[in-house]
Amino acid sequence: MKTAERQRTITEVLRRQPEVSVEELIQACGASGATIRRDLEVLAGHGVLRRVHGGARSLIGQGQNPGYGQRELEELDGKRRIAAAVAGLLAEREHVWLDSGSTATAVARAVAGRELTLMPMSLQALNAAAEGDGAEGSRPALLLPGGSVVPGELCFRGPLAESNIRSLRFDTAVLTPCAVDFKDGLLAHDLEDAAVKTAGLESAARVVVAATAAKWQAHARVLVAGLARVDLIVTDRKFSVQDMSELEKYSVEVVSV
Protein backbone atom coordinates (compact mmCIF):
# COMPACT_ATOMS: atom_id res chain seq x y z
CA MET A 1 0.00 0.00 0.00
CA LYS A 2 1.44 3.37 -1.05
CA THR A 3 1.89 6.25 1.38
CA ALA A 4 -1.11 8.30 0.19
CA GLU A 5 -3.34 5.19 0.24
CA ARG A 6 -2.22 4.28 3.77
CA GLN A 7 -2.90 7.78 5.02
CA ARG A 8 -6.36 7.80 3.44
CA THR A 9 -7.05 4.42 5.10
CA ILE A 10 -5.96 5.79 8.49
CA THR A 11 -8.19 8.85 7.99
CA GLU A 12 -11.16 6.65 7.12
CA VAL A 13 -10.59 4.50 10.22
CA LEU A 14 -10.58 7.66 12.35
CA ARG A 15 -13.85 8.77 10.78
CA ARG A 16 -15.47 5.59 12.09
CA GLN A 17 -13.97 5.55 15.57
CA PRO A 18 -12.58 8.24 17.89
CA GLU A 19 -9.33 6.43 18.73
CA VAL A 20 -7.20 3.76 17.09
CA SER A 21 -4.10 1.81 18.08
CA VAL A 22 -0.96 1.31 16.04
CA GLU A 23 -1.63 -2.45 16.08
CA GLU A 24 -5.08 -1.95 14.54
CA LEU A 25 -3.57 0.21 11.79
CA ILE A 26 -0.86 -2.35 11.09
CA GLN A 27 -3.64 -4.85 10.37
CA ALA A 28 -5.71 -2.37 8.35
CA CYS A 29 -2.81 -1.16 6.19
CA GLY A 30 -0.55 -4.20 6.05
CA ALA A 31 2.44 -2.05 7.01
CA SER A 32 5.10 -2.14 9.71
CA GLY A 33 4.75 -0.36 13.03
CA ALA A 34 7.53 2.08 12.11
CA THR A 35 5.77 3.00 8.86
CA ILE A 36 2.42 3.51 10.61
CA ARG A 37 4.06 5.73 13.25
CA ARG A 38 5.60 7.90 10.51
CA ASP A 39 2.19 8.21 8.85
CA LEU A 40 0.62 9.21 12.17
CA GLU A 41 3.21 11.95 12.65
CA VAL A 42 2.48 13.32 9.17
CA LEU A 43 -1.29 13.26 9.76
CA ALA A 44 -0.85 14.88 13.16
CA GLY A 45 0.99 17.70 11.41
CA HIS A 46 -1.98 18.07 9.04
CA GLY A 47 -4.40 18.36 11.96
CA VAL A 48 -6.17 15.06 11.23
CA LEU A 49 -5.31 13.43 14.56
CA ARG A 50 -3.51 13.76 17.88
CA ARG A 51 -0.90 11.21 18.87
CA VAL A 52 -1.58 9.32 22.09
CA HIS A 53 0.32 6.49 23.73
CA GLY A 54 0.11 3.44 21.45
CA GLY A 55 -1.95 5.10 18.74
CA ALA A 56 -3.91 8.21 17.78
CA ARG A 57 -7.09 10.12 18.61
CA SER A 58 -9.25 11.60 15.84
CA LEU A 59 -9.57 15.37 15.41
CA ILE A 60 -11.87 15.00 12.39
CA GLY A 61 -15.06 17.00 12.69
CA GLN A 62 -13.98 18.91 15.81
CA GLY A 63 -13.99 22.25 14.01
CA GLN A 64 -16.23 23.98 11.49
CA ASN A 65 -13.59 23.84 8.80
CA PRO A 66 -11.44 20.69 8.47
CA GLY A 67 -7.75 21.53 8.06
CA TYR A 68 -6.25 21.77 4.58
CA GLY A 69 -4.09 18.70 5.18
CA GLN A 70 -7.17 16.64 6.02
CA ARG A 71 -9.14 17.89 3.02
CA GLU A 72 -6.19 17.28 0.69
CA LEU A 73 -6.43 13.53 1.40
CA GLU A 74 -10.15 13.33 0.63
CA GLU A 75 -12.00 12.72 -2.67
CA LEU A 76 -8.76 12.70 -4.66
CA ASP A 77 -10.19 11.07 -7.78
CA GLY A 78 -13.19 13.40 -7.88
CA LYS A 79 -10.98 16.47 -7.48
CA ARG A 80 -8.71 15.36 -10.31
CA ARG A 81 -11.67 14.80 -12.64
CA ILE A 82 -13.23 18.13 -11.70
CA ALA A 83 -9.89 19.91 -12.18
CA ALA A 84 -9.40 18.37 -15.62
CA ALA A 85 -12.90 19.44 -16.66
CA VAL A 86 -12.36 23.01 -15.38
CA ALA A 87 -9.04 23.21 -17.25
CA GLY A 88 -10.85 22.15 -20.42
CA LEU A 89 -13.25 25.09 -20.05
CA LEU A 90 -10.46 27.68 -20.07
CA ALA A 91 -9.23 29.16 -23.33
CA GLU A 92 -5.58 30.00 -23.94
CA ARG A 93 -4.54 33.44 -22.67
CA GLU A 94 -7.58 33.78 -20.42
CA HIS A 95 -7.21 35.80 -17.25
CA VAL A 96 -8.38 33.53 -14.43
CA TRP A 97 -9.03 34.12 -10.74
CA LEU A 98 -8.62 30.89 -8.75
CA ASP A 99 -10.03 30.35 -5.26
CA SER A 100 -8.16 28.66 -2.40
CA GLY A 101 -8.58 25.11 -1.05
CA SER A 102 -7.60 21.59 -2.06
CA THR A 103 -9.89 21.49 -5.13
CA ALA A 104 -8.44 24.79 -6.31
CA THR A 105 -4.93 23.35 -5.93
CA ALA A 106 -5.99 20.44 -8.14
CA VAL A 107 -7.19 22.95 -10.74
CA ALA A 108 -3.87 24.83 -10.53
CA ARG A 109 -2.03 21.56 -11.15
CA ALA A 110 -4.26 20.84 -14.15
CA VAL A 111 -3.48 24.21 -15.79
CA ALA A 112 0.22 24.25 -14.91
CA GLY A 113 1.27 23.80 -18.55
CA ARG A 114 -1.22 26.30 -19.98
CA GLU A 115 -0.69 29.81 -21.30
CA LEU A 116 -2.98 31.68 -18.91
CA THR A 117 -2.78 34.63 -16.57
CA LEU A 118 -3.68 33.21 -13.18
CA MET A 119 -4.28 34.75 -9.76
CA PRO A 120 -4.27 31.86 -7.25
CA MET A 121 -5.56 32.59 -3.75
CA SER A 122 -3.26 30.17 -1.90
CA LEU A 123 0.42 29.34 -1.77
CA GLN A 124 -0.38 25.68 -2.49
CA ALA A 125 -2.13 26.61 -5.75
CA LEU A 126 0.64 29.06 -6.59
CA ASN A 127 3.29 26.36 -6.24
CA ALA A 128 1.23 23.81 -8.17
CA ALA A 129 0.72 26.21 -11.09
CA ALA A 130 4.40 27.18 -11.14
CA GLU A 131 5.69 23.61 -11.36
CA GLY A 132 4.43 22.57 -14.79
CA ASP A 133 5.79 23.01 -18.29
CA GLY A 134 3.50 22.65 -21.28
CA ALA A 135 4.16 22.83 -25.00
CA GLU A 136 7.25 24.93 -25.74
CA GLY A 137 7.74 25.44 -22.01
CA SER A 138 4.49 27.36 -21.54
CA ARG A 139 3.13 27.97 -18.06
CA PRO A 140 0.71 30.44 -16.47
CA ALA A 141 1.73 34.02 -15.79
CA LEU A 142 1.08 34.28 -12.06
CA LEU A 143 -0.34 37.28 -10.20
CA LEU A 144 -0.17 37.51 -6.40
CA PRO A 145 -3.14 39.10 -4.62
CA GLY A 146 -1.24 40.26 -1.54
CA GLY A 147 -2.89 40.41 1.85
CA SER A 148 -2.25 38.25 4.89
CA VAL A 149 -1.55 34.50 4.73
CA VAL A 150 -3.64 32.27 7.01
CA PRO A 151 -1.45 29.78 8.93
CA GLY A 152 -2.09 26.16 7.96
CA GLU A 153 -4.40 27.07 5.08
CA LEU A 154 -1.72 29.26 3.42
CA CYS A 155 -4.45 31.25 1.66
CA PHE A 156 -4.56 35.01 1.08
CA ARG A 157 -7.06 37.05 3.08
CA GLY A 158 -7.82 40.58 4.19
CA PRO A 159 -8.61 44.04 2.77
CA LEU A 160 -5.42 44.26 0.69
CA ALA A 161 -6.20 40.99 -1.10
CA GLU A 162 -9.81 42.08 -1.69
CA SER A 163 -8.74 45.50 -3.00
CA ASN A 164 -6.20 44.02 -5.41
CA ILE A 165 -8.71 41.49 -6.73
CA ARG A 166 -11.29 44.23 -7.34
CA SER A 167 -8.75 46.37 -9.19
CA LEU A 168 -8.54 43.74 -11.97
CA ARG A 169 -10.96 42.17 -14.43
CA PHE A 170 -10.89 38.43 -15.10
CA ASP A 171 -12.41 36.36 -17.88
CA THR A 172 -13.25 33.54 -15.46
CA ALA A 173 -13.43 33.13 -11.69
CA VAL A 174 -13.12 29.54 -10.47
CA LEU A 175 -14.78 29.32 -7.05
CA THR A 176 -14.42 26.37 -4.68
CA PRO A 177 -17.06 27.00 -1.99
CA CYS A 178 -17.00 25.34 1.43
CA ALA A 179 -20.61 24.25 0.86
CA VAL A 180 -23.27 24.50 -1.86
CA ASP A 181 -26.97 24.65 -1.11
CA PHE A 182 -29.86 24.72 -3.57
CA LYS A 183 -31.62 27.40 -1.52
CA ASP A 184 -28.75 29.60 -0.29
CA GLY A 185 -26.16 29.00 -3.00
CA LEU A 186 -22.43 29.28 -2.29
CA LEU A 187 -21.29 29.30 1.34
CA ALA A 188 -18.02 29.81 3.24
CA HIS A 189 -16.94 29.00 6.77
CA ASP A 190 -15.83 32.52 7.76
CA LEU A 191 -16.38 36.14 6.82
CA GLU A 192 -12.87 36.78 5.48
CA ASP A 193 -13.05 33.80 3.12
CA ALA A 194 -16.51 34.87 1.96
CA ALA A 195 -15.26 38.42 1.29
CA VAL A 196 -12.40 37.17 -0.89
CA LYS A 197 -14.70 34.81 -2.81
CA THR A 198 -17.20 37.63 -3.37
CA ALA A 199 -14.45 39.91 -4.70
CA GLY A 200 -13.36 37.17 -7.10
CA LEU A 201 -16.78 36.48 -8.57
CA GLU A 202 -17.66 40.17 -8.84
CA SER A 203 -14.47 40.84 -10.82
CA ALA A 204 -15.08 38.14 -13.44
CA ALA A 205 -17.16 37.93 -16.61
CA ARG A 206 -17.86 34.22 -15.99
CA VAL A 207 -18.21 32.31 -12.72
CA VAL A 208 -17.35 28.61 -12.65
CA VAL A 209 -17.94 26.65 -9.44
CA ALA A 210 -15.84 23.53 -8.82
CA ALA A 211 -17.46 21.45 -6.07
CA THR A 212 -17.09 17.79 -5.10
CA ALA A 213 -20.15 15.79 -4.10
CA ALA A 214 -19.29 16.29 -0.41
CA LYS A 215 -19.74 20.08 -0.75
CA TRP A 216 -23.44 19.55 -1.47
CA GLN A 217 -23.79 17.81 1.90
CA ALA A 218 -21.53 20.15 3.88
CA HIS A 219 -22.61 22.95 6.20
CA ALA A 220 -21.23 26.48 6.32
CA ARG A 221 -22.66 29.66 7.79
CA VAL A 222 -21.54 32.60 5.64
CA LEU A 223 -23.29 33.41 2.37
CA VAL A 224 -21.07 34.20 -0.62
CA ALA A 225 -23.61 34.40 -3.45
CA GLY A 226 -26.79 32.80 -4.70
CA LEU A 227 -26.78 30.28 -7.53
CA ALA A 228 -28.12 32.97 -9.86
CA ARG A 229 -24.60 34.48 -9.84
CA VAL A 230 -23.11 31.22 -11.16
CA ASP A 231 -22.71 30.44 -14.86
CA LEU A 232 -21.47 26.86 -14.65
CA ILE A 233 -20.97 24.15 -12.00
CA VAL A 234 -18.43 21.35 -12.40
CA THR A 235 -19.08 18.50 -9.96
CA ASP A 236 -18.94 14.75 -9.46
CA ARG A 237 -22.32 14.75 -7.75
CA LYS A 238 -25.01 12.73 -9.50
CA PHE A 239 -28.09 14.94 -9.74
CA SER A 240 -31.66 13.72 -9.64
CA VAL A 241 -34.31 15.05 -12.02
CA GLN A 242 -35.59 17.23 -9.17
CA ASP A 243 -32.08 18.60 -8.54
CA MET A 244 -31.67 19.52 -12.20
CA SER A 245 -35.05 21.20 -12.16
CA GLU A 246 -33.88 23.35 -9.22
CA LEU A 247 -30.68 24.33 -11.05
CA GLU A 248 -32.59 25.18 -14.22
CA LYS A 249 -34.46 27.86 -12.24
CA TYR A 250 -31.15 29.69 -11.94
CA SER A 251 -30.05 29.05 -15.55
CA VAL A 252 -26.94 27.27 -14.29
CA GLU A 253 -25.12 24.94 -16.66
CA VAL A 254 -23.84 21.71 -15.09
CA VAL A 255 -20.83 19.61 -16.10
CA SER A 256 -20.88 16.21 -14.37
CA VAL A 257 -17.62 14.27 -14.25
Side-chain angles (χ1 to χ4, degrees), residues 101-125:
S102 56
T103 304
T105 300
V107 173
R109 197 169 289 118
V111 301
R114 298 282 301 281
E115 193 173 343
L116 303 168
T117 298
L118 185 70
M119 179 180 277
M121 294 305 299
S122 73
L123 294 178
Q124 293 102 334

Side-chain angles (χ1 to χ4, degrees), residues 1 8 12 14 17 36 49 69 83 97 112 116 129 138 148 168 170-171 186 197 200 202 219 229 252:
M1 192 179 286
R8 286 197 299 273
E12 287 305 312
L14 287 168
Q17 59 193 72
I36 293 297
L49 56 87
W97 180 87
L116 303 168
S138 60
S148 57
L168 299 172
F170 300 92
D171 298 302
L186 314 180
K197 284 173 164 54
E202 290 182 348
H219 300 282
R229 298 294 302 274
V252 178

Side-chain angles (χ1 to χ4, degrees), residues 130-144:
E131 287 173 355
D133 279 322
E136 300 179 357
S138 60
R139 64 179 63 185
L142 299 172
L143 301 175
L144 290 180

Side-chain angles (χ1 to χ4, degrees), residues 100-189:
S100 60
S102 56
T103 304
T105 300
V107 173
R109 197 169 289 118
V111 301
R114 298 282 301 281
E115 193 173 343
L116 303 168
T117 298
L118 185 70
M119 179 180 277
M121 294 305 299
S122 73
L123 294 178
Q124 293 102 334
L126 174 71
N127 289 333
E131 287 173 355
D133 279 322
E136 300 179 357
S138 60
R139 64 179 63 185
L142 299 172
L143 301 175
L144 290 180
S148 57
V149 175
V150 179
E153 292 291 315
L154 300 183
C155 53
F156 298 99
R157 293 287 185 269
L160 180 59
E162 295 165 38
S163 175
N164 287 338
I165 295 166
R166 292 183 188 278
S167 71
L168 299 172
R169 290 296 174 263
F170 300 92
D171 298 302
T172 301
V174 179
L175 267 77
T176 56
C178 303
V180 189
D181 182 86
F182 285 107
K183 177 183 176 183
D184 294 323
L186 314 180
L187 299 159
H189 284 297

